[in-house]
Amino acid sequence: MKFHLPVLASCCLLASSFAAPPPNIVIFLVDDMGIMDTSVPFLTDAAGKPTRHPLNVFYRTPNMERLAARGIRFNNFCAMSVCSPTRISILTGQNAARHHTTNHINADTDNGGPNGPPQWNWKGLQTGDVTLPSLMLANGYRTIHVGKGHFGPRASAGAEPRNLGFDLNVGGTSGSAGSYYGRQNFGNPVNGQPGRLSGRGVPGLEKYHGTDIFLTEALTLEANARVSDAVRDGQPFFLYFAHYAVHRPFQSDPRFAAHYQDSGKPPEAQTFATLVEGMDKSLGDLLDHLDQLGVADNTLIFFLGDNGSDAPLGDPHAIASAAPLRGMKGSHYEGGTRVPFITAWAKASASNVYQQRLPIPAGAIQNQQAAVYDLFPTILALTGQSAPPKHIVDGARLDTLLSGKPDATRRETFLMHYPHSPHRSDYWTSYRDGDWKVIYHYFPSKISGDSHYQLFNLAKDPSESNNLAGNEPVKLRQMMAALMAKLAEDGALFPVADDHVTPVKPQLL
């Protein structure tokens, strides 16, 4: 994070630049929600039509269905495999290999791993970094952060979202919540006694302490209240609503437990499903609130997960938690990086100037690939802004894809760089280019088949069950060359040898 905001006072005149009031923007971010943790079918058949799988039957997300019916969903939307890298990518428009926060940020100690790069960006975002909320704030928006931040460790400036361009914050802590239960003060001390996850209490919700409210509901009430204030004051709003759900600790949302008790799934998986449904109710409550305020037609919603599923349904490298995809959060398979993504105007209106500028077809599905860092340039363009010239943006605008059309100008590539341990997969980089995906393991292990290389054709083998590295040497070299070039372009940091100094870089065959 070496680039800093210029003076953007002139941009504050955005509201007077158009006859219509600027569009409101909502990023609705769900922690640890993968592409299969929903009743909305995202995966498609050979004809590009959505296909329901058993997990789509297990989960209940009627409000995600409602949002998908109003807009477009992507079946090939990629996030980083762990949370902090994705969150910083959303705010900066950069791939994690470039911004160097390549692991989730431990609250108090550097967690790069025994052979992790010593210079990785454990401190995350800092005051003065170029961020989406900073640009929106300078352009006259009220920037609202509600929920989980995880932009920096506890003692850093990035731990406080108001240092990063948000002028309002509720929550903002790193990692997981200490508790979802108001009776447990959301992990804050109860009667002077620390909670089960000491130090992870959610701040800013003291008025709910000691009550029966669930954390997801409390955050929704706070988000809706801040939106009401902005509308009352006649100010466009940028709401970054980042739920702690569905991240551990797995604590059942009692409002929905009965829906899963006869599912045949293990108790912890049932609990996970209640967290999913509670999040979905929050989405519905927000949609209803925007309708009631009369601003739904001028509000664009981006719904997404921050990494693959953490559903407790099986081995992290099996076809289980994200079936029919393989793997889950933290793994090198698609179950670790494919996330739900829906974009919709909260209410359709043919007369709205911004809906005319960015038309989104109802009930559509987009099969072309996109990624989390694409939100940054898309939102800036819609709101009449641009990033400072020296700030490198890896993302590309989604306008054409959001219209339901193919975009021949886009490269369908995605780099995921994880030079750390321990997690479900350790020390690896993957690179997607269209239907092909290569994975490089810096330190081969049983998980990688004792090889540096895995190569998959995702069109023919979406479950990544047939490693073609030995059968397609030309394609392997081509994909590895592209992976290495992208790492060099981004200035990526690499794992180190046991001397903790010498970088261990990918090698061609």
Side-chain angles (χ1 to χ4, degrees), residues 33-45 48-53 55-56 59 61 63-65 67-69 71-77 279-280 283 303-305 322-325 338-343 364-368:
M33 184 181 190
I35 195 170
M36 297 306 299
D37 301 335
T38 171
S39 57
V40 177
F42 283 86
L43 301 185
T44 55
D45 60 19
K49 301 297 183 182
T51 302
R52 289 177 64 82
H53 294 274
L55 286 176
N56 297 132
Y59 294 107
T61 54
N63 293 295
M64 284 183 67
E65 295 176 23
L67 187 68
I72 191 166
R73 62 194 188 272
F74 284 48
N75 81 339
N76 256 307
F77 196 82
M279 170 283 304
D280 184 78
L283 175 64
F303 177 103
L304 71 159
L325 300 182
R338 294 269 285 280
V339 298
F341 180 71
I342 306 170
T343 302
I365 191 160
Q366 175 61 257
N367 293 302
Q368 201 165 338

Side-chain angles (χ1 to χ4, degrees), residues 461-472:
D461 179 25
S463 64
E464 299 171 278
S465 298
N466 185 19
N467 181 9
L468 299 174
N471 299 330
E472 297 276 0

Side-chain angles (χ1 to χ4, degrees), residues 382-395:
L382 181 66
T383 55
Q385 306 172 75
S386 59
K390 292 185 178 180
H391 181 74
I392 298 173
V393 177
D394 291 307

Side-chain angles (χ1 to χ4, degrees), residues 146-450:
V146 176
K148 174 179 168 177
H150 217 174
F151 306 121
R154 197 193 320 265
S156 74
E160 171 50 69
R162 286 176 294 182
N163 293 330
L164 306 176
F166 291 103
D167 55 3
L168 296 173
N169 172 49
V170 178
T173 49
S174 297
S176 59
S179 172
Y180 282 98
Y181 298 132
R183 287 289 177 193
Q184 297 177 353
N185 294 354
F186 308 119
N188 293 284
V190 179
N191 297 324
Q193 299 300 312
R196 184 166 64 89
L197 292 177
S198 180
R200 295 190 180 273
V202 180
L205 300 174
E206 288 76 14
K207 68 183 178 182
Y208 302 103
H209 287 186
T211 72
D212 286 330
I213 198 168
F214 203 75
L215 175 58
T216 307
E217 179 76 4
L219 291 173
T220 305
L221 294 173
E222 293 300 305
N224 284 345
R226 300 310 188 278
V227 167
S228 292
D229 291 344
V231 173
R232 178 199 63 209
D233 295 340
Q235 190 174 11
F237 61 84
F238 168 64
L239 171 64
Y240 178 95
F241 190 5
H243 273 294
Y244 290 88
V246 293
H247 195 289
R248 298 167 187 264
F250 294 151
Q251 294 177 316
S252 181
D253 189 329
R255 298 172 294 175
F256 309 107
H259 293 170
Y260 306 98
Q261 62 187 10
D262 297 325
S263 65
K265 292 287 194 293
E268 200 170 49
Q270 295 181 38
T271 294
F272 182 86
T274 71
L275 294 174
V276 171
E277 190 167 355
M279 170 283 304
D280 184 78
K281 179 183 183 298
S282 172
L283 175 64
D285 290 347
L286 175 63
L287 291 173
D288 291 343
H289 192 64
L290 295 170
D291 280 332
Q292 292 160 9
L293 293 173
V295 297
D297 64 334
N298 202 41
T299 301
L300 182 63
I301 297 179
F302 296 90
F303 177 103
L304 71 159
D306 69 341
N307 49 241
S309 175
D310 198 33
L313 286 171
D315 184 274
H317 297 103
I319 302 170
S321 298
L325 300 182
R326 189 174 181 181
M328 62 189 301
K329 170 186 176 179
S331 79
H332 56 279
Y333 294 113
E334 289 294 283
T337 55
R338 294 269 285 280
V339 298
F341 180 71
I342 306 170
T343 302
W345 292 98
K347 181 180 180 181
S349 173
S351 63
N352 181 277
V353 64
Y354 293 100
Q355 294 200 36
Q356 294 170 3
R357 194 170 300 173
L358 184 61
I360 299 175
I365 191 160
Q366 175 61 257
N367 293 302
Q368 201 165 338
Q369 188 197 81
V372 289
Y373 39 68
D374 294 326
L375 271 64
F376 182 93
T378 303
I379 292 170
L380 289 183
L382 181 66
T383 55
Q385 306 172 75
S386 59
K390 292 185 178 180
H391 181 74
I392 298 173
V393 177
D394 291 307
R397 287 171 58 175
L398 294 171
D399 304 46
T400 301
L401 297 187
L402 293 176
S403 74
K405 302 174 183 176
D407 186 349
T409 67
R410 285 182 69 95
R411 289 200 63 201
E412 291 192 70
T413 61
F414 177 70
L415 179 79
M416 171 62 216
H417 185 52
Y418 188 78
H420 303 283
S421 74
H423 215 297
R424 275 128 184 188
S425 301
D426 298 336
Y427 305 113
W428 56 279
T429 302
S430 66
Y431 183 74
R432 282 190 56 174
D433 187 353
D435 292 335
W436 287 94
K437 176 180 176 180
V438 66
I439 307 157
Y440 185 80
H441 299 268
Y442 294 85
F443 306 110
S445 67
K446 182 178 179 181
I447 288 173
S448 69
D450 295 315

